[in-house]
Amino acid sequence: MNRTRVVVLGAGIVGAACARELSRAGFDVVVVDRGRPAGGTTSHGEGNILVSDKGPGAELELAKLSTALWPQVVAEIADEDARAASAIEYDPKGGIVVATTDDGARALATFAASQTGVRAEPLSPKELAEAEPALTREVTAAFHYPEDAQVQPAGAALALLGSALRHGARLRSDAEVVGATVHNGRITGVRVPGEVIEADVVVNAAGPWAGQVSARLGSPIAVRPRRGEVLVTTPMPGVVRHKVYDADYVGAVGADSSALQTSAVVESTWGGTVLIGSSRRRVDFDDAIRPDVLSAIAVKALRLFPALADVAIMRAYGGFRPYVDDHLPVLGEDPRLRNLWHATGHEGAGIGLSVGTARLLRELLTGTEPAMPVEEFTVDRPAVLAEVAA
């Protein structure tokens, strides 16, 4: 019996997760990327798996689904290849969100109370000091989120893709999509230089480039790049024990302004380096590192962790996140071009949300009842089709 042919566009973590789910479900999967696996947005993130930064709604439900799936996925990959699983560096270390003003404390408590089904534990000053000894004592409220976790993003993407390949998927790297073949309102393949890769289903998982790719396929969606930067210190094991961020991070994530938004986000990696963020700004695909942005990030981080003042910065990096005006992922079949599916628009949450997105895609394509409602993610909403109407 012929298997359904699926072409997944994008070998970042969302594309890799989708390829894994679909190949395990028996689809004939080809992953196509214009560069190399995990070479774009995925390798320029922090690796966050968060429920702490999401208010009530569909994205929080997707975060809860993904958070529950990550340990299962890691265990499954470990059964296939223990070395690949170790490269994921899955760390369920938890997160701590703090407020530094009275207004911030009230807002943080209200926000935590609104997150139905999420463990958010208030910390006393003594408990906070024990959890994060190097953290400033000028904190008006703190909540511990034990369900927050972290992975090494490129390692996780490559592990997911490797699992997909072990289940029969194939990879076409250095193959840029330049168009589509269409018959009777259905997409039947994608064009790469000198070739058509035939498909029964095409999944656009191209991250910040999903808008460009969708336009080339003849069915544009309004996904645009939003840039973020991160500072990386030399190793300092044990100084920062959780992901710690100021409550204004949530506001920066949800901001609609194209201007620079910064907030204090500090966390360590398995190797002991400390990642310091975060920033958000819309600058199209301008990849220049701006010293003033890095300075603004550092100033806010030092307010939380004064002990970082004399730490050496090893490097800085930036990357683009797939941004949609209503701040929700895009997941579903395109209403204008049948058999074209989109799985993008996660902005900075794509690492964490990847495995839940992939699970929902597999369920939708196989006709299985989805693990959660997906109506808020559909393609036919105004924010996604805004550029088409313009």
Side-chain angles (χ1 to χ4, degrees):
M1 188 173 79
N2 292 331
R3 294 188 296 161
T4 300
R5 301 166 300 175
V6 179
V7 173
V8 177
L9 306 181
I13 196 163
V14 173
C18 291
R20 178 179 183 271
E21 279 283 347
L22 297 179
S23 60
R24 284 164 55 91
F27 290 87
D28 180 12
V29 178
V30 178
V31 181
V32 178
D33 196 281
R34 68 174 185 173
R36 296 302 175 99
T41 287
T42 294
S43 61
H44 295 90
E46 294 176 78
N48 294 322
I49 303 172
L50 304 181
V51 293
S52 57
D53 64 339
K54 296 170 182 65
E59 189 180 29
L60 176 58
E61 297 307 308
L62 179 56
K64 288 157 59 177
L65 171 63
S66 299
T67 298
L69 285 174
W70 265 109
Q72 174 185 328
V73 169
V74 173
E76 290 169 350
I77 292 176
D79 287 341
E80 300 170 6
D81 185 335
R83 188 172 181 179
S86 68
I88 297 173
E89 297 185 11
Y90 176 72
D91 187 359
K93 61 186 176 183
I96 294 177
V97 187
V98 300
T100 54
T101 65
D102 290 338
D103 287 345
R106 287 188 288 270
L108 177 55
T110 299
F111 182 79
S114 73
Q115 295 176 291
T116 304
V118 173
R119 292 172 60 193
E121 304 163 348
L123 297 176
S124 69
K126 181 176 182 294
E127 291 170 329
L128 182 60
E130 291 174 349
E132 290 290 344
L135 185 67
T136 179
R137 298 296 177 261
E138 297 179 7
V139 170
T140 55
F143 280 82
H144 176 224
Y145 284 84
E147 295 165 304
D148 281 357
Q150 184 184 22
V151 294
Q152 206 294 327
L158 293 175
L160 290 165
L161 182 59
S163 178
L165 298 179
R166 284 190 289 275
H167 286 89
R170 301 179 305 285
L171 173 65
R172 292 287 304 274
S173 55
D174 299 317
E176 185 162 8
V177 172
V178 296
T181 56
V182 178
H183 180 70
N184 290 336
R186 295 177 180 269
I187 191 167
T188 59
V190 296
R191 298 184 184 276
V192 297
E195 184 184 355
V196 172
I197 303 175
E198 296 182 346
D200 302 304
V201 173
V202 174
V203 179
N204 176 14
W209 295 272
Q212 292 183 352
V213 169
S214 64
R216 293 178 184 178
L217 299 177
S219 200
I221 58 174
V223 175
R224 292 167 286 180
R226 202 181 191 194
R227 185 165 176 79
E229 278 88 8
V230 177
L231 294 164
V232 186
T233 74
T234 51
M236 43 191 305
V239 174
V240 182
R241 302 176 181 180
H242 302 78
K243 177 185 176 68
V244 182
Y245 63 88
D246 196 310
D248 64 2
Y249 173 78
V250 176
V253 171
D256 295 322
S257 172
S258 61
L260 174 66
Q261 307 283 327
T262 61
S263 55
V265 181
V266 184
E267 64 186 316
S268 61
T269 68
W270 270 17
T273 58
V274 173
L275 308 180
I276 301 173
S278 69
S279 67
R280 281 172 165 76
R281 54 194 176 99
R282 294 224 305 269
V283 291
D284 198 29
F285 284 104
D286 179 1
D287 62 358
I289 296 284
R290 283 176 38 186
D292 60 315
V293 175
L294 301 181
S295 177
I297 292 170
V299 166
K300 290 197 171 182
L302 287 174
R303 291 175 185 164
L304 286 189
F305 286 91
L308 296 176
D310 297 323
V311 174
I313 297 298
M314 184 168 59
R315 64 187 179 96
Y317 63 89
F320 303 105
R321 291 82 163 101
Y323 173 85
V324 180
D325 281 342
D326 62 5
H327 306 286
L328 287 172
V330 183
L331 176 61
E333 187 176 18
D334 197 300
R336 302 156 299 175
L337 184 57
R338 284 173 292 171
N339 293 352
L340 171 61
W341 289 69
H342 302 282
T344 183
H346 303 84
E347 205 185 331
I351 303 297
L353 300 180
S354 58
V355 294
T357 297
R359 178 62 56 88
L360 292 174
L361 177 66
R362 188 256 288 167
E363 290 168 343
L364 292 168
L365 285 174
T366 57
T368 305
E369 181 70 21
M372 58 165 283
V374 297
E375 289 77 15
E376 291 188 51
F377 301 144
T378 55
V379 182
D380 59 353
R381 61 188 205 260
V384 179
L385 300 182
E387 289 186 356
V388 179

